[in-house]
Amino acid sequence: QMGTMDAACYIECLKLGVNQTDSDDPASGCKLRPDEGLDAISSLSLEGVQSKLFMGGTNTVYSWLIQWLSDNLGYDVSTIVGFPYDWRLSPDKMEERDGFLTLMRRRIEAAVQTSGEPGIVVAHSMGNLIFRYFLSWLRVEFE
């Protein structure tokens, strides 16, 4: 797949505006959100040349883990849920802007209900902090 990228536009879209908004200039049209679902986490790489420059190639560790959970523990695409997040934002801002924590709770509950089995959480790097925040948020929600 071949594509072109305007570096200035890309950098502008990565910036956050005042109060962690998408942009200081709403006319810019920049609205950046993480990808959705298992495809967003199964292979961690940028497309093309950037993959080799920034990551040394494609990292498929989560693809392998998803396959292992399926083959060995009986999980499937209805019971494995990925939670890609906007690394630029604090968890409370993700909840305010996108309902991220509420959606996370609903997706976990649905997966556990579908499987009838306990949930397994795998988090990596900043995802650990996001998940710990989520657990604290749940305690407040259920008080």
Side-chain angles (χ1 to χ4, degrees):
Q1 179 178 349
M2 185 69 152
T4 60
M5 179 171 58
D6 179 346
C9 181
Y10 179 74
I11 290 169
E12 183 62 33
C13 283
L14 282 176
K15 292 180 186 176
L16 287 173
V18 177
N19 298 321
Q20 295 186 15
T21 56
D22 282 312
S23 173
D24 284 332
D25 178 15
S28 73
C30 289
K31 183 176 180 182
L32 188 64
R33 298 292 184 272
D35 200 355
E36 292 287 330
L38 294 180
D39 286 343
I41 65 166
S42 62
S43 178
L44 305 176
S45 74
L46 300 168
E47 291 293 324
V49 174
Q50 296 94 337
S51 174
K52 288 185 177 36
L53 288 174
F54 294 120
M55 300 181 66
T58 301
N59 179 336
T60 59
V61 68
Y62 291 108
S63 178
W64 173 88
L65 180 60
I66 291 165
Q67 189 64 50
W68 188 90
L69 289 170
S70 175
D71 292 347
N72 295 287
L73 299 180
Y75 287 88
D76 63 29
V77 293
S78 66
T79 56
I80 298 175
V81 185
F83 294 105
Y85 56 88
D86 190 336
W87 53 268
R88 305 168 306 153
L89 299 178
S90 60
D92 60 323
K93 285 293 182 181
M94 286 190 290
E95 174 63 16
E96 179 185 312
R97 185 186 75 180
D98 302 323
F100 178 80
L101 301 171
T102 300
L103 184 59
M104 189 173 178
R105 177 181 147 209
R106 289 181 183 154
R107 286 182 176 170
I108 290 171
E109 288 172 344
V112 168
Q113 185 176 14
T114 298
S115 72
E117 299 290 333
I120 297 173
V121 175
V122 177
H124 171 67
S125 193
M126 189 172 155
N128 288 306
L129 299 176
I130 300 292
F131 190 71
R132 288 180 63 196
Y133 185 94
F134 172 70
L135 293 177
S136 296
W137 177 83
L138 281 177
R139 286 186 195 98
V140 171
E141 287 292 302
F142 285 104
E143 283 184 352

